[in-house]
Amino acid sequence: MKVRNPRTGLYDYEIEPLSAEALVEKANQMRNAQKEWFKAGIDFRISTLQKWKNEVNNLKNELIEALCIDTGRKWETVLEVDLVASSIDRWCAISKDFFAESPRKTSSIPFLDIEQALVPYSLVGVISPWNFPLLLSLIDTIPALLAGSAVLVKPSEVAPRFIKVLQQSINEVPELSGILNYLEGAAETGAKLCEITDLICFTGSTTTGRKVYQAACDNFIPVFLELGGKDAVIVTQTADIDRATSAVLWGSVANAGQSCLSIERVYVHQSIFLPFVSKLVGKANQLNLAFPERDSGQIGPIISDKQVAIINDHLQDAIEKGASLKAGSSFCEEMKGGFYCRPTVLTNITHEMKVMSEETFGPIMPIMPFKEIQEAINLANDSKYGLSGAVFAGTEEEALSIAKQLKCGAISINDAALTAVMHEGEKNSFKLSGIGGTRMGPSAIKRFMKQKAYLINTSQVKDPWWFS
Ligand code: NAD
C-alpha cells in the first residue's frame, strides 16, 4: 500500500498490512502475555512504561523526522513528541493513586463487607487518525497499558512512517514487546481489529465511527468513539478583543486547522464585530506558510489530499452562497506537490453554508455577528457536533454562564482549544462527536476495567432473610 508525502505529493513510502490470519495469531499471543502483565502489578507496569519513555527519548530525533515527513509540519511535531514523556509520567502518577485505593469497605448492612476488584479487558484495540498520528495513537494506549491490558494499535495509513520507529522503541523493552504492538494498515486492518479485540478506542471521523460502532455491536464489545467536531466560539461585547483575536487565531489555525478541537465557527457581538474582524485579519495575514522549508512559517501543508478536496468544496460553497473573503484564499494552493491553505477569514456567513455545518478541518474562520447572547448560544448549539467550544467575555462569571448553556464537552473560558494542551478535565463528547466515558482525567483509566464485587458475610449467625 503506497503512502503520499504531504509536501511533495509523491507516493514515496509503502506499508505492509498483516494478513487476517497473522492478526488473529498476534491477538492470541498478546492475550496470553496479558495475564502476566496484569498479575505483575501496577509498580511493574509503571517501571516498564518508564523504561519505554527512555527508549522513546533515545529515538526522539528519528521519531520527529518520521513524523515530519508524515505530516509535512515541524513545530507541532516537536511538541507532539515532547508530550509523550509528560503523558507517560502523568498517567503513571494517576494509576499509582488509582490502584492504591483500598478495595475493602463496609456496607449499609452491618455484617456484610464489600471487596471491589478490577479486571482489565485483555486486549484493547486502538484505531487512530492522521492529524496527530503519534499523540492520538497513544492517548488511550498509555492508560490501557497501565490498567493491565495488552494493546494493539492501528494508526492511520495516511501518516504511518512513525510506526516503525515507535515499534523499535517498544522492541527495546522486552517486558513491553509482547503487550504492545503497532500495526500498519488501513480500513481492512481497522475492521479486523474490531473483530479480534475485547474493547475498541476509536478516534476519527463520524462516518467511520458509525462503522466501528456497528462492528463493536456485532462483536458485543465496548467501544469509545472520539469523532469529528465543529467547535464554536462566542465573543461577547465585553470581551478583550486583542486577547480574543489572538486566541481564536491560534485555536483555528494551529496545525493548519487539522484538529478535531479547532475553532471552526466564530460568533461575535455586533458592537465589536468590525474591530474584531479587522484585528483578526491583521493577525492572520502575519502568519506564513511553512514553505519552501518546514520551518519557513507556521502553517504546514494539508496532510491528506482527501481533506484538500473537502476544504476547497466548503470554501467554494461559502463563496457561491455570498460569503466575503477577508483574508486568505478561496482554495488550497498547490506548491511543489503539497497543498497549503492560508489562514482564511470569511464574513457574510449563514448556517446554510457547509463551512458552518460540516467539519472543514482547515484554517478557516467564518465569522457571524449576533445581537443577543441567547441568539449566539442558539447558533453555537445549532450543530450536529458537540466536541468542545470557547467563550470570551469581560468576566469569568459572564463567560461561565454562557458556557453552561452550550451543548459540548469542554469549553475554554477566555481562551481557546485548551483541550489540545490540558488533558486533565474529565469530559464527554456530545452529539455526533463521540460516545463513551471520558478519555481525559483520572477516571479515564476505568474504561479499560470491569468491576467485580465480592460480597462477604462476616457474621456467624444466619441471615435474617433466610427461611427459618
Ligand atoms: P477516518 O475516520 O478516515 O480514519 C480514522 C482511522 O479509522 C484510520 O486509522 C483508518 O484507517 C481507520 N478506519 C477506516 N475505516 C475503518 C473501518 N471500517 N473500521 C475500522 N477502522 C477504520 O478519520 P481521519 O480522516 O483519519 O481523521 C480525521 C477525523 O478524525 C476528523 O473527523 C477529526 O475530527 C477526527 N478526530 C477526532 C478527535 C477527537 O478526539 N474527537 C481527534 C482527532 C481527530
Side-chain angles (χ1 to χ4, degrees):
M1 189 180 287
K2 298 239 187 244
V3 182
R4 182 179 165 273
N5 180 320
R7 291 190 78 85
T8 63
L10 299 174
Y11 286 78
D12 59 2
Y13 191 76
E14 275 186 31
I15 54 172
E16 267 184 74
L18 286 182
S19 68
E21 296 73 35
L23 281 172
V24 170
E25 197 183 320
K26 194 171 263 302
N28 289 340
Q29 285 165 357
M30 290 177 73
R31 263 205 196 84
N32 261 333
Q34 180 271 337
K35 292 174 198 147
E36 284 306 311
W37 175 245
F38 180 56
K39 236 196 257 167
I42 186 60
D43 289 339
F44 176 78
R45 296 199 290 277
I46 288 175
S47 72
T48 305
L49 259 69
Q50 289 295 328
K51 279 189 202 165
W52 183 38
K53 182 180 86 176
N54 295 337
E55 294 302 334
V56 172
N57 200 36
N58 290 342
L59 288 169
K60 189 172 170 175
N61 291 339
E62 289 86 336
L63 201 51
I64 289 176
E65 184 52 26
L67 282 161
C68 278
I69 305 173
D70 271 334
T71 60
R73 66 186 182 215
K74 183 143 181 220
W75 66 269
E76 298 93 333
T77 296
V78 174
L79 192 70
E80 195 180 359
V81 174
D82 281 344
L83 279 174
V84 177
S86 57
S87 181
I88 290 179
D89 285 344
R90 179 165 43 82
W91 277 114
C92 285
I94 289 173
S95 54
K96 186 133 187 101
D97 291 346
F98 181 80
F99 283 100
E101 274 174 29
S102 165
R104 182 127 179 178
K105 55 187 183 193
T106 54
S107 75
S108 57
I109 300 174
F111 55 88
L112 292 183
D113 280 1
I114 303 170
E115 205 166 301
Q116 295 286 170
L118 293 163
V119 187
Y121 287 87
S122 293
L123 183 58
V124 168
V126 171
I127 303 173
S128 53
W130 48 259
N131 59 319
F132 282 96
L134 175 68
L135 180 80
L136 292 168
S137 76
L138 286 173
I139 196 164
D140 296 308
T141 297
I142 296 169
L145 286 169
L146 287 163
S149 304
V151 189
L152 256 179
V153 190
K154 196 214 76 66
S156 169
E157 67 280 16
V158 177
R161 292 167 184 83
F162 79 99
I163 294 176
K164 281 205 166 67
V165 186
L166 198 68
Q167 188 64 49
Q168 195 183 331
S169 73
I170 297 167
N171 295 345
E172 293 296 328
V173 185
E175 302 91 315
L176 193 62
S177 57
I179 289 298
L180 173 62
N181 274 289
Y182 269 64
L183 300 170
E184 292 179 340
E188 209 178 320
T189 309
K192 192 71 193 164
L193 220 60
C194 300
E195 281 176 33
I196 60 171
T197 55
D198 307 309
L199 179 152
I200 286 283
C201 290
F202 173 84
T203 310
S205 64
T206 300
T207 307
T208 312
R210 276 186 201 279
K211 293 182 194 163
V212 169
Y213 202 5
Q214 187 63 55
C217 180
D218 291 344
N219 201 19
F220 215 72
I221 58 170
V223 63
F224 298 96
L225 303 175
E226 297 285 349
L227 310 175
K230 191 77 197 167
D231 286 5
V233 56
I234 295 177
V235 185
T236 73
Q237 190 171 11
T238 56
D240 176 337
I241 298 178
D242 191 39
R243 181 181 175 81
T245 46
S246 292
V248 166
L249 182 66
W250 186 83
S252 296
V253 315
N255 197 31
Q258 302 164 106
S259 306
C260 54
L261 48 78
S262 284
I263 288 180
E264 295 209 354
R265 297 178 292 146
V266 186
Y267 303 103
V268 179
H269 191 269
Q270 62 177 15
S271 64
I272 58 163
F273 187 77
L274 290 177
F276 182 95
V277 172
S278 146
K279 248 200 163 120
L280 187 64
V281 166
K283 290 178 184 180
N285 285 338
Q286 280 170 21
L287 299 181
N288 295 310
L289 299 181
F291 184 87
E293 305 302 328
R294 284 178 197 152
D295 46 13
S296 302
Q298 303 84 353
I299 312 295
I302 302 301
I303 299 166
S304 154
D305 52 352
K306 286 191 189 137
Q307 205 62 45
V308 172
I310 293 171
I311 296 171
N312 284 344
D313 176 48
H314 287 196
L315 285 170
Q316 201 182 336
D317 173 76
I319 285 163
E320 275 168 13
K321 288 175 180 160
S324 309
L325 189 68
K326 296 291 180 188
S329 171
S330 58
F331 57 92
C332 299
E333 295 160 49
E334 184 173 357
M335 297 189 213
K336 289 203 167 164
F339 291 95
Y340 296 79
C341 188
R342 293 184 188 278
T344 297
V345 177
L346 297 170
T347 57
N348 283 335
I349 293 296
T350 69
H351 269 213
E352 276 60 58
M353 297 171 182
K354 289 182 189 171
V355 83
M356 293 305 265
S357 60
E358 305 294 327
E359 186 180 48
T360 309
F361 229 53
I364 316 294
M365 293 162 281
I367 317 179
M368 277 178 82
F370 68 86
K371 269 192 206 153
E372 307 290 339
I373 288 295
Q374 194 53 51
E375 181 194 350
I377 293 167
N378 293 346
L379 286 166
N381 286 336
D382 178 25
S383 172
K384 59 188 174 188
Y385 294 110
L387 193 63
S388 38
V391 182
F392 289 84
T395 64
E396 192 182 300
E397 292 70 35
E398 186 191 353
L400 274 171
S401 77
I402 296 167
K404 284 175 187 165
Q405 299 175 69
L406 295 182
K407 293 176 185 160
C408 54
I411 297 145
S412 303
I413 302 295
N414 287 328
D415 207 330
L418 281 177
T419 48
V421 291
M422 219 271 263
H423 292 178
E424 287 151 56
E426 299 189 346
K427 65 163 205 91
N428 295 116
S429 299
F430 289 26
K431 305 190 224 173
L432 294 188
S433 288
I435 204 151
T438 178
R439 70 159 27 157
M440 296 187 179
S443 64
I445 201 162
K446 278 196 193 149
R447 292 175 303 156
F448 304 107
M449 314 199 86
K450 295 179 221 185
Q451 287 179 293
K452 274 176 95 171
Y454 301 107
L455 311 173
I456 306 162
N457 191 324
T458 57
S459 85
Q460 300 304 317
V461 295
K462 288 180 176 177
D463 290 354
W465 51 81
W466 288 354
F467 299 118
S468 54

